[in-house]
Amino acid sequence: MSTTPPPQALTDEARPASAERTPDAGAFGWLRALGPRGRRAFAGAFGGYALDSYDYFTLPLSMVALSAYFGLNSGQTGLFTTVTLVVSAVGGALAGVLADRIGRVKALMITVITYAVFTVACGFAPNYETLLVFRALQGLGFGGEWAVGAILVAEYASAKHRGRTLGAIQSSWAVGWGLAAIVYTVVFSLAGDDLAWRIMFWTGALPALLVIWLRRSVHDAPEATAAREQSAEKGSFKAIFKPGLLRVTLFAGLLSTGVQGGYYTLATWVPTYLKSERDLSVVGTGGYLTFLISGAFIGYLTGGYLTDRLGRRRNIWLFALLSALCILAYANIPSGANTLLLVLGFPLGFCMSAIFSGFGSYLSELYPTAVRGTGQGFTYNTGRAVGAVFPTTVGFLADSWGVGGALVFGAIGYGIAALALFGLPETRGKELT
């Protein structure tokens, strides 16, 4: 006699992820389709990435104050970003392997704790060299958080809505960026620059609260866990370089390099550009960043929708072109035309974020379950590391070309991303398990 309980007797934790999905009609059908456990995973990944963004932007927003405090030139300040992004490649690759071997949620908690601890440590740095080391170690956690969180949610999401679901996760980057800009405006208005930059880093302790909730409330998708554990090659670097995946790994890494080279050029240098070359005050810089960040938030959501409608490759192609054009226009606005600078900030933020919306779903769909974390963590963060050359180049050229003139290297990055797509397949509609 069967002892299997009837379907209605299954608890939330026992019910398979596929059984939790509810009808997906309506504007928020993608969220209902995740089911209860999937929505908790979404909340955990959203919060982790928002706070990851917040901790990252404590540095670019404090760059001018740091330069004055330690007596740094543009090349030295640009090195902060380079070190963060290069070390993030190591952290991201390791986090991807951990995600495949010990599970998505456990790896996510490790990354959050790492970037929180070393962001706070940056606030106690007595000199430039120590701050550089702490910022590098912060990159270990920073590099892994997005890849792990994106995979966690992707494995709960339906193929129909995966693009907009991961696009919504990406939008949390703008939320963290906006929070950092608000805190920056308040802190630098109330405290002197010599103390304000330290306070900005100390507020990076916020993510520790998220870890407690993750530990109690979020679990890996059971179907994906089962598929991953049945493979003998889970978490294997060797596997992503075998003939069946080698092409994908190489071109996905090149795609990530181009997109992130363009993005981090802007994220790193726009605050300095506004303050040092456009002569905006702290409050004025915050106001201009509001337009940029608002555009970014809407761009993430719109790009997520379009990546499901147009396909992954077409969405990236479209916004690579538009992002490059926006950079060229933004960097060449005549002196004194700050109103135009304000208005153009919105489409700039929109385009450079919409291109990212398909990344979470696209990289997840390019790799099988057993090495999904390894493949996504490696390609995304290798792109970060190599793409770090772009903001560093801007830093070293800023003294002679000006920050605005050197921003053209961001447009080159988007051109590289567009070319990389010729080596990658379209994956829209692909089931992950």
Side-chain angles (χ1 to χ4, degrees), residues 49-415:
Y49 198 45
L51 292 170
D52 193 16
S53 170
Y54 178 89
D55 278 12
Y56 173 79
F57 279 105
T58 53
L59 176 64
L61 289 169
S62 303
M63 197 86 86
V64 174
L66 284 169
S67 298
Y69 186 87
F70 291 118
L72 309 177
N73 58 38
S74 296
Q76 288 174 309
T77 53
L79 193 58
F80 280 126
T81 297
T82 301
V83 166
T84 303
L85 299 183
V86 169
V87 177
S88 77
V90 178
L94 292 176
V97 172
L98 284 176
D100 286 336
R101 292 186 178 181
I102 68 174
R104 313 322 191 192
V105 175
K106 290 179 180 178
L108 184 62
M109 289 190 293
I110 291 171
T111 63
V112 172
I113 290 171
T114 301
Y115 73 66
V117 167
F118 287 109
T119 299
V120 173
C122 286
F124 293 99
N127 52 50
Y128 170 71
E129 292 77 14
T130 304
L131 180 58
L132 197 62
V133 170
F134 285 154
R135 188 65 179 180
L137 293 173
Q138 188 259 6
L140 287 174
F142 169 71
E145 196 286 330
W146 179 84
V148 177
I151 295 166
L152 172 66
V153 177
E155 291 175 341
Y156 274 106
S158 65
K160 179 180 178 181
H161 295 311
R162 190 173 297 118
R164 70 198 71 181
T165 303
L166 273 295
I169 293 291
Q170 290 277 178
S171 73
S172 66
W173 181 265
V175 173
W177 188 4
L179 179 61
I182 292 170
V183 174
Y184 157 80
T185 303
V186 173
V187 170
F188 275 82
S189 296
L190 298 178
D193 284 7
D194 289 354
L195 176 61
W197 69 265
R198 293 187 184 276
I199 295 174
M200 284 293 295
F201 284 120
W202 292 337
T203 60
L206 288 172
L209 299 175
L210 175 68
V211 173
I212 299 173
W213 183 79
L214 284 172
R215 178 68 181 83
R216 295 179 177 178
S217 304
V218 182
H219 305 278
D220 291 0
E223 293 165 335
T225 299
R228 185 178 70 247
E229 291 179 348
Q230 290 170 7
S231 173
E233 290 190 315
K234 62 181 180 180
S236 167
F237 274 118
K238 182 180 178 181
I240 67 173
F241 289 100
K242 286 186 175 181
L245 290 175
L246 176 61
R247 180 187 179 92
V248 167
T249 298
L250 293 178
F251 280 97
L254 187 62
L255 174 67
S256 296
T257 296
V259 171
Q260 295 188 87
Y263 181 87
Y264 284 110
T265 295
L266 292 169
T268 301
W269 288 108
V270 163
T272 299
Y273 172 64
L274 293 174
K275 193 168 183 180
S276 64
E277 294 195 9
R278 309 302 299 207
D279 298 321
L280 297 178
S281 65
V282 169
V283 175
T285 299
Y288 277 67
L289 288 176
T290 298
F291 272 75
L292 188 67
I293 295 168
S294 298
F297 180 75
I298 297 174
Y300 283 129
L301 297 178
T302 304
Y305 174 78
L306 289 177
T307 199
D308 281 335
R309 291 297 300 270
L310 301 177
R312 312 323 188 203
R313 298 168 80 239
R314 287 181 181 177
N315 183 71
I316 295 173
W317 260 322
L318 172 64
F319 287 108
L321 173 62
L322 293 178
S323 295
L325 293 175
C326 283
I327 289 176
L328 295 176
Y330 195 79
N332 288 284
I333 292 175
S335 177
N338 281 353
T339 300
L340 182 58
L341 190 75
L342 177 71
V343 173
L344 191 58
F346 186 89
L348 178 66
F350 181 94
C351 293
M352 72 187 223
S353 299
I355 193 173
F356 263 117
S357 293
F359 255 55
S361 52
Y362 196 29
L363 294 181
S364 293
E365 291 160 354
L366 287 172
Y367 288 95
T369 302
V371 292
R372 184 167 296 128
T374 305
Q376 183 157 333
F378 176 81
T379 55
Y380 186 80
N381 288 287
T382 297
R384 266 182 175 166
V386 181
V389 171
F390 290 81
T392 303
T393 302
V394 171
F396 281 105
L397 291 176
D399 292 332
S400 56
W401 291 23
V403 176
L407 285 177
V408 67
F409 281 89
I412 294 174
Y414 288 117

